[in-house]
């Protein structure tokens, strides 16, 4: 396989999956910039780990990319926590404003309001449920793929999905037009 074919395969893979990968990164970070940084770092880690000088780099399977994003977001969170502790110890208070993640892009005001309601509702459910919903609905993964990504049994992934949907149903009201 030539470098041009490899490059085209990679571009096509990222074109097909980039949006869902960024969405997952958004769910794991506090702002858009961190999400983009996490996505870029995760893809770079995959490249470094799985590239081969003779075979080049073929695009990874989607669950592996989600796992890399999750791990990179955890690393970012840890690094951020360490930095914050250092700043607090030196009497510098670091304040971070809470903001609703812009998980969805929509054109109409009604769609935007509904998307904001959903984003808020997703932030209210436990992270372990939110991860499964994000991977299932927006990541389009199977429960088996989710189980591998999150390192949990497939039945647990399915249960968490059901619990998450029930929690969201209780929180969200039907959209009134």
């Amino acid at each position: 396989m030539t470098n041009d074919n490899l490059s085209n395969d990679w571009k096509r893979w990222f074109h097909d999956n980039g949006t869902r990968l960024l969405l997952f990164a958004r769910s794991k970070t506090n702002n858009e910039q961190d999400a983009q940084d996490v996505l870029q770092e995760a893809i770079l880690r995959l490249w470094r780990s799985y590239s081969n000088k003779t075979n080049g780099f073929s695009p990874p399977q989607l669950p592996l990319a989600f796992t890399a994003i999750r791990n990179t977001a955890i690393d970012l969170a840890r690094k951020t926590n360490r930095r914050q502790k250092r700043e607090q110890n030196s009497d510098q208070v670091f304040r971070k404003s809470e903001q609703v993640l812009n998980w969805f892009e929509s054109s109409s005001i009604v769609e935007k309001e509904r998307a904001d309601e959903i984003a808020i509702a997703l932030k209210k459910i436990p992270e372990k449920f939110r991860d499964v919903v994000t991977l299932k609905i927006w990541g389009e993964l199977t429960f088996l793929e989710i189980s591998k990504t999150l390192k949990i049994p497939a039945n647990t992934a399915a249960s968490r999905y059901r619990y998450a949907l029930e929690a969201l149903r209780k929180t969200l009201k039907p959209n009134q037009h």
Side-chain angles (χ1 to χ4, degrees):
M1 180 176 281
T2 67
N3 284 341
D4 287 339
N5 288 342
L6 194 59
S7 178
N8 288 335
D9 288 347
W10 174 252
K11 287 176 185 176
R12 187 173 33 260
W13 179 86
F14 195 76
H15 180 267
D16 292 345
N17 299 300
T19 302
R20 68 183 78 184
L21 294 172
L22 181 58
L23 173 69
F24 186 65
R26 285 177 183 159
S27 76
K28 305 309 252 167
T29 59
N30 292 323
N31 58 55
E32 181 70 21
Q33 293 79 17
D34 285 349
Q36 290 176 3
D37 289 347
V38 162
L39 177 59
Q40 182 177 352
E41 178 65 25
I43 298 302
L44 184 58
R45 286 180 181 183
L46 285 171
W47 183 276
R48 287 179 182 154
S49 295
Y50 295 95
S51 64
N52 181 325
K53 291 181 181 174
T54 58
N55 295 333
F57 176 74
S58 59
Q61 292 189 7
L62 203 51
L64 181 61
F66 283 119
T67 301
I69 290 169
R70 180 175 175 263
N71 293 340
T72 304
I74 290 169
D75 290 346
L76 175 66
R78 287 178 181 154
K79 183 170 62 172
T80 301
N81 287 339
R82 286 191 301 266
R83 187 190 76 239
Q84 287 176 348
K85 286 179 184 177
R86 282 193 310 269
E87 289 175 355
Q88 288 173 352
N89 289 339
S90 66
D91 294 325
Q92 296 177 356
V93 178
F94 179 78
R95 295 190 181 158
K96 186 177 189 179
S97 63
E98 284 292 319
Q99 58 182 340
V100 176
L101 295 176
N102 183 18
W103 287 14
F104 313 95
E105 294 179 15
S106 59
S107 56
S108 79
I109 293 174
V110 173
E111 288 175 354
K112 174 74 173 124
E113 288 174 358
R114 189 64 175 166
D116 289 345
E117 289 175 20
I118 294 169
I120 291 168
L122 280 167
K123 288 298 262 181
K124 290 180 181 178
I125 65 174
E127 183 178 5
K128 64 184 182 181
F129 297 154
R130 185 172 55 241
D131 288 349
V132 173
V133 168
T134 303
L135 292 172
K136 181 69 176 161
I137 294 175
W138 291 282
E140 298 179 354
L141 297 183
T142 66
F143 289 123
L144 182 59
E145 291 170 327
I146 293 169
S147 73
K148 290 176 183 175
T149 301
L150 299 178
K151 297 181 176 123
I152 59 175
N155 288 337
T156 301
S159 295
R160 287 182 183 179
Y161 181 72
R162 285 191 306 274
Y163 291 137
L165 291 182
E166 185 58 34
L168 290 172
R169 278 188 202 102
K170 289 178 183 176
T171 304
L172 295 169
K173 297 179 182 109
N175 198 358
Q176 306 288 327
H177 281 44

